Amino acid sequence: MADIGLPSKGRIEALTDGIFAVAMTLLVLDLKLPQTLGELDSAALRASLLALLPKLESYIISFLVLCVFWLGHHRLTHVVRGVDYVFLWRNLLFILFITFVPFTTSLMGEHRDLDDAPVVYGVNLALILAAQCLMWRRALLYLTDISEREAAERWRIVRNRYLLAFCIVGTAIALAALDWRFAAYVYLLFFFIGTMRPRPAVAS
Amino acid sequence: MADIGLPSKGRIEALTDGIFAVAMTLLVLDLKLPQTLGELDSAALRASLLALLPKLESYIISFLVLCVFWLGHHRLTHVVRGVDYVFLWRNLLFILFITFVPFTTSLMGEHRDLDDAPVVYGVNLALILAAQCLMWRRALLYLTDISEREAAERWRIVRNRYLLAFCIVGTAIALAALDWRFAAYVYLLFFFIGTMRPRPAVAS
Amino acid sequence: MADIGLPSKGRIEALTDGIFAVAMTLLVLDLKLPQTLGELDSAALRASLLALLPKLESYIISFLVLCVFWLGHHRLTHVVRGVDYVFLWRNLLFILFITFVPFTTSLMGEHRDLDDAPVVYGVNLALILAAQCLMWRRALLYLTDISEREAAERWRIVRNRYLLAFCIVGTAIALAALDWRFAAYVYLLFFFIGTMRPRPAVAS
Amino acid sequence: MADIGLPSKGRIEALTDGIFAVAMTLLVLDLKLPQTLGELDSAALRASLLALLPKLESYIISFLVLCVFWLGHHRLTHVVRGVDYVFLWRNLLFILFITFVPFTTSLMGEHRDLDDAPVVYGVNLALILAAQCLMWRRALLYLTDISEREAAERWRIVRNRYLLAFCIVGTAIALAALDWRFAAYVYLLFFFIGTMRPRPAVAS
């Protein structure tokens, strides 16, 4: 009865998976043909569909970014033996920022040629990164069985990766001031870094 | 076969986690730029974004309040050995009131300067509190292995905490008549009480 | 490897719980203040809130009805040892009809004074009942360990309960032609029958 | 600690089930009476309901198609011992294309008499098929315990089935140019092939 009140790993995983499932599906709610009062003909439908392409691009980038964060969360909970309240609250913050993604994506999809949209999107990503980075810190330094020295070493590696990710997001925000089109692709770069991350983390 | 028909803890946990995941994500559907017929320029976009800030504030407060209730629900199901129909129906009532939160939050976000919005929000919180309090009563007095005396003692402590929470909500509703701005922050206070609750409940 | 390809109980439970969680939360999306172009004052807000009360009533009735079906589904999967494709397809039909509930509820909330709304709602409930009844038949006659005679006996009891439920829904549809207000309360009666069902099913 | 960082089967199943639950329920959001400013009378309500029938048909076809893909995914994860990153990314692609289904279904429901709607729907199905086929390849050739020869044999059978499915979708897209009404029913045929698939896959 020593750990009564300590939430198990299982439920925070279930809640997080649920949040990701809903957020990933809600992204697509934004793909919608404009309401028309009369009947559409084939040419008008094609034009409407083509007009959705920038939204589709934002949607796919956001989906891939969410995939990277989900994989990261999985690796995290795979590493820990159990969770404590500090970890839980950081996880709850993490999903709070995840729930913003459908909104900031929609903003990018509709108005990414305006200065503020890529900035708001970048700030959203930076907040998710910060929450996940804090979760890694708690996990590695307090919630695993590995030796103190190895934990410190792994935390150092993880932290450097997150610093790199912060730099990418910062660059994207800065570039957005020059040309919004760059920004979207820098976020895509962020995604490729994400996909490459797992292997080294395993090796260490 | 004695307990055939008795729903397991696992599925009511899964349903509750699902409800929280959807409710938490739906909160954000309310964050939406006003539909405009023409093109926005940068200044108009910034103005629209700034106009969303009160909604964002309501959203974050509600998210934190839902987190506190989710943590409370977790502690609850962690304590019980199994569930019976009385507990299940109280849990279903609990999630009914949770599903109202996106609506009452949206009301606060748009009209919290009007008398009724903080009152409706407060009543929503009070109903959730009442359902969760009844779940604790059932759990501690009927569904644990601990001795009758210890159960009564723990129930007394839990009940006092809920009485305190009811007072906070009551105060927020009363204050809303004076100045709506107070109300929002009293709900935030409610959240801080919530975060401090776990430790003593463990100790007892 | 004999049962390769046979889906486990766990995933159909997870999918069903997810469907219920989303359907229960989507019901509330219908509770929405009418969009107003200008600012609301307190009196107008109160009037808008009062105008939502019939929707709220429909919402709560539907939520309770969904609770009864969820509890029924739980008892069902608690009884079976495993699932086969016949059972799975009946379960998928069951959740198809569950996903209609937010739509038919919204219809009741807005237009229940018109003939067709309670009829459509009643037909929806009858389809859910039919799917769940077929699931019980498959479960009791093919997917449990109990003796053939006991299974037949229990199936007879369950079938009689579903016949009673069909009669209630039929009566509600018929009454709707006379006075829609009766219909809503007959559906509520259906809910109370539902809550009383578990005990005898256990006893048998 | 050899497989640290390797996501377990459980969480990708949970995420996939969540995506299916949300996508299946969102399909129905499209069933909506047109907003009317005044009061409806019974005849107008009936006319509105009848006007929803083509949407309902699209909805049910899509629901059945999603059921077939869900059953396929279940069989897939039932076969594998564990998952690796290649499998996971193919699974994430799979759910990306699943999240498009509510949008492409809505397109079919509203504009299936126009050339592009059945084409877009067909392309969506083909993408889902391709992702699932790649998952089967990875699963059978790398992630099971069965012998290399048997794995190659089973992969050959599975691949042939997917080639058949691709032909059906291709035919539906081609037919759509002649008469859209054919297309919808070819997709239905796709569904019946799907329901017949399991048994042989087991036998092999």
Side-chain angles (χ1 to χ4, degrees):
Chain A
M1 211 104 149
D3 65 340
I4 203 173
L6 186 77
S8 74
K9 212 159 110 170
R11 287 201 65 187
I12 191 71
E13 284 180 347
L15 184 68
T16 308
D17 287 346
I19 293 280
F20 271 94
V22 183
M24 283 168 166
T25 324
L26 284 187
L27 285 173
V28 94
L29 280 189
D30 209 46
L31 288 185
K32 211 175 256 171
L33 293 184
Q35 292 297 336
T36 48
L37 294 170
E39 286 292 304
L40 275 176
D41 62 6
S42 285
L45 179 62
R46 181 159 301 177
S48 300
L49 287 174
L50 291 177
L52 286 179
L53 284 184
K55 284 193 184 186
L56 183 67
E57 197 192 20
S58 294
Y59 171 58
I60 291 176
I61 293 177
S62 277
F63 190 92
L64 295 175
V65 165
L66 285 179
C67 286
V68 170
F69 283 122
W70 182 82
L71 285 171
H73 187 269
H74 183 278
R75 274 194 298 280
L76 242 172
T77 60
H78 188 76
V79 161
V80 299
R81 270 181 315 107
V83 292
D84 61 4
Y85 276 101
V86 174
F87 184 87
L88 272 182
W89 273 107
R90 290 176 185 180
N91 197 138
L92 291 167
L93 259 190
F94 173 69
I95 62 184
L96 169 62
F97 300 137
I98 292 290
T99 62
F100 287 145
V101 172
F103 168 69
T104 55
T105 299
S106 154
L107 206 62
M108 281 284 277
E110 275 175 68
H111 305 294
R112 62 182 160 164
D113 50 336
L114 301 182
D115 292 359
D116 285 349
V119 173
V120 170
Y121 190 73
V123 169
N124 193 174
L125 290 192
L127 288 170
I128 302 175
L129 278 172
Q132 203 171 44
C133 186
L134 286 172
M135 287 167 77
W136 270 110
R137 187 170 194 284
R138 188 75 191 175
L140 287 172
L141 303 188
Y142 296 87
L143 303 169
T144 61
D145 281 327
I146 57 180
S147 73
E148 211 172 307
R149 228 185 93 252
E150 196 191 331
E153 176 63 16
R154 291 191 59 186
W155 162 237
R156 208 182 49 79
I157 296 173
V158 167
R159 194 190 50 196
N160 288 347
R161 291 186 169 282
Y162 277 90
L163 285 180
L164 177 62
F166 279 117
C167 290
I168 295 175
V169 173
T171 311
I173 293 176
L175 278 179
L178 298 176
D179 187 333
W180 59 268
R181 199 168 277 278
F182 286 134
Y185 295 106
V186 178
Y187 292 128
L188 208 54
L189 173 70
F190 169 73
F191 153 73
F192 284 112
I193 303 281
T195 60
M196 285 183 304
R197 215 185 313 155
R199 251 66 53 93
V202 176
S204 67
Chain B
M1 212 104 148
D3 64 339
I4 203 175
L6 186 78
S8 74
K9 212 158 109 171
R11 286 201 64 188
I12 191 71
E13 285 180 347
L15 184 68
T16 307
D17 287 346
I19 292 280
F20 271 95
V22 183
M24 283 168 166
T25 324
L26 285 187
L27 285 173
V28 95
L29 280 189
D30 210 47
L31 289 185
K32 212 174 254 171
L33 293 185
Q35 292 296 337
T36 49
L37 294 170
E39 287 292 305
L40 273 176
D41 62 7
S42 285
L45 179 63
R46 181 159 301 178
S48 300
L49 287 173
L50 291 177
L52 286 179
L53 284 186
K55 283 193 185 187
L56 183 67
E57 197 191 20
S58 294
Y59 171 59
I60 290 176
I61 293 177
S62 278
F63 190 91
L64 295 175
V65 164
L66 284 178
C67 286
V68 170
F69 282 122
W70 182 80
L71 286 170
H73 187 268
H74 184 278
R75 273 194 299 279
L76 243 171
T77 60
H78 188 77
V79 162
V80 299
R81 269 180 315 107
V83 292
D84 61 4
Y85 276 100
V86 175
F87 184 87
L88 271 182
W89 273 108
R90 290 177 185 179
N91 198 139
L92 291 168
L93 260 190
F94 173 70
I95 62 184
L96 169 62
F97 300 136
I98 291 291
T99 63
F100 286 146
V101 171
F103 169 68
T104 54
T105 299
S106 153
L107 205 62
M108 281 283 278
E110 275 175 66
H111 305 294
R112 63 182 160 164
D113 49 335
L114 302 182
D115 292 359
D116 285 350
V119 173
V120 169
Y121 190 74
V123 169
N124 193 173
L125 290 192
L127 288 170
I128 302 175
L129 277 173
Q132 203 172 43
C133 185
L134 286 171
M135 287 168 77
W136 271 110
R137 188 171 193 282
R138 189 74 190 175
L140 288 172
L141 302 189
Y142 296 87
L143 303 169
T144 61
D145 281 326
I146 57 179
S147 73
E148 210 173 308
R149 228 184 93 252
E150 197 190 331
E153 175 64 16
R154 290 190 61 185
W155 162 237
R156 208 182 49 78
I157 296 174
V158 168
R159 194 190 49 197
N160 288 348
R161 289 184 171 284
Y162 278 89
L163 286 179
L164 178 62
F166 279 117
C167 291
I168 295 174
V169 173
T171 310
I173 294 176
L175 278 179
L178 298 176
D179 187 333
W180 59 269
R181 199 168 277 278
F182 285 133
Y185 296 106
V186 177
Y187 291 127
L188 207 56
L189 172 71
F190 169 72
F191 154 73
F192 284 113
I193 302 282
T195 59
M196 285 183 305
R197 216 187 311 155
R199 250 64 55 91
V202 176
S204 69
Chain C
M1 213 99 150
D3 64 340
I4 203 174
L6 186 78
S8 74
K9 212 159 108 170
R11 286 201 65 187
I12 191 70
E13 285 181 345
L15 184 67
T16 308
D17 287 346
I19 293 280
F20 271 95
V22 183
M24 283 168 166
T25 324
L26 284 187
L27 286 173
V28 94
L29 280 189
D30 209 46
L31 288 184
K32 212 174 255 171
L33 292 185
Q35 293 295 338
T36 48
L37 294 170
E39 286 292 304
L40 274 176
D41 62 7
S42 285
L45 179 62
R46 181 160 302 178
S48 300
L49 287 174
L50 291 177
L52 286 179
L53 284 185
K55 284 193 184 187
L56 183 67
E57 198 192 19
S58 294
Y59 171 58
I60 290 176
I61 292 177
S62 278
F63 190 92
L64 294 175
V65 165
L66 285 178
C67 286
V68 170
F69 282 121
W70 183 80
L71 285 171
H73 187 268
H74 184 277
R75 274 194 299 279
L76 244 170
T77 58
H78 188 76
V79 162
V80 300
R81 268 181 316 108
V83 292
D84 61 4
Y85 276 101
V86 176
F87 184 87
L88 272 181
W89 273 108
R90 290 177 185 178
N91 198 137
L92 291 168
L93 260 191
F94 172 71
I95 62 184
L96 169 62
F97 300 137
I98 291 290
T99 61
F100 286 146
V101 172
F103 170 67
T104 54
T105 299
S106 153
L107 206 62
M108 281 284 278
E110 274 175 67
H111 305 295
R112 62 181 161 167
D113 50 337
L114 301 182
D115 291 359
D116 285 349
V119 173
V120 169
Y121 190 74
V123 169
N124 193 173
L125 290 192
L127 288 170
I128 302 175
L129 277 173
Q132 204 172 43
C133 185
L134 286 172
M135 288 167 77
W136 271 110
R137 187 170 194 283
R138 188 77 191 172
L140 288 172
L141 302 189
Y142 297 86
L143 304 169
T144 61
D145 282 326
I146 57 179
S147 74
E148 210 174 305
R149 230 185 91 251
E150 197 190 329
E153 175 64 16
R154 289 190 62 184
W155 162 237
R156 208 182 49 78
I157 296 174
V158 166
R159 195 190 50 196
N160 288 347
R161 290 186 170 282
Y162 277 89
L163 285 180
L164 178 61
F166 279 117
C167 290
I168 294 175
V169 172
T171 310
I173 294 176
L175 278 179
L178 298 176
D179 187 334
W180 59 269
R181 199 168 277 279
F182 285 133
Y185 295 107
V186 178
Y187 292 127
L188 207 55
L189 173 69
F190 170 73
F191 154 72
F192 284 112
I193 302 283
T195 59
M196 285 183 306
R197 217 186 313 158
R199 251 64 55 90
V202 176
S204 68
Chain D
M1 211 100 150
D3 64 340
I4 202 172
L6 186 76
S8 74
K9 212 159 110 171
R11 286 201 64 187
I12 190 72
E13 285 181 347
L15 184 69
T16 308
D17 287 346
I19 293 280
F20 272 94
V22 183
M24 283 168 166
T25 323
L26 284 187
L27 286 174
V28 95
L29 279 189
D30 209 46
L31 289 185
K32 212 175 254 172
L33 293 185
Q35 293 296 336
T36 48
L37 293 170
E39 286 292 304
L40 274 176
D41 62 7
S42 285
L45 180 61
R46 182 159 301 177
S48 300
L49 287 174
L50 291 177
L52 287 178
L53 284 185
K55 284 193 184 185
L56 183 67
E57 199 192 18
S58 294
Y59 171 59
I60 291 176
I61 292 177
S62 278
F63 190 92
L64 294 175
V65 165
L66 285 178
C67 286
V68 171
F69 283 121
W70 183 81
L71 285 170
H73 187 269
H74 183 278
R75 274 195 297 280
L76 244 171
T77 59
H78 188 76
V79 163
V80 299
R81 268 180 318 106
V83 293
D84 62 3
Y85 276 102
V86 175
F87 184 87
L88 271 182
W89 272 107
R90 290 177 185 179
N91 197 137
L92 291 168
L93 260 191
F94 173 70
I95 61 184
L96 168 63
F97 300 136
I98 291 291
T99 62
F100 287 146
V101 172
F103 169 69
T104 55
T105 299
S106 154
L107 206 62
M108 281 283 277
E110 274 175 68
H111 305 294
R112 63 181 160 164
D113 49 336
L114 302 182
D115 292 359
D116 285 349
V119 173
V120 170
Y121 189 75
V123 169
N124 192 175
L125 290 192
L127 288 170
I128 302 175
L129 277 172
Q132 204 171 43
C133 185
L134 287 171
M135 288 167 77
W136 271 110
R137 188 170 194 283
R138 189 76 190 173
L140 287 172
L141 302 188
Y142 297 86
L143 304 168
T144 61
D145 281 326
I146 57 179
S147 74
E148 210 172 307
R149 228 186 93 249
E150 197 191 329
E153 175 64 16
R154 291 190 61 184
W155 162 238
R156 209 182 48 77
I157 296 174
V158 167
R159 194 190 48 196
N160 289 347
R161 292 186 169 282
Y162 277 90
L163 285 179
L164 178 61
F166 278 117
C167 291
I168 294 176
V169 172
T171 311
I173 293 176
L175 278 179
L178 298 176
D179 187 333
W180 59 269
R181 198 168 278 278
F182 285 133
Y185 295 106
V186 178
Y187 292 127
L188 208 54
L189 173 70
F190 169 73
F191 154 73
F192 285 111
I193 303 281
T195 60
M196 284 182 306
R197 214 185 315 155
R199 250 66 53 92
V202 176
S204 68

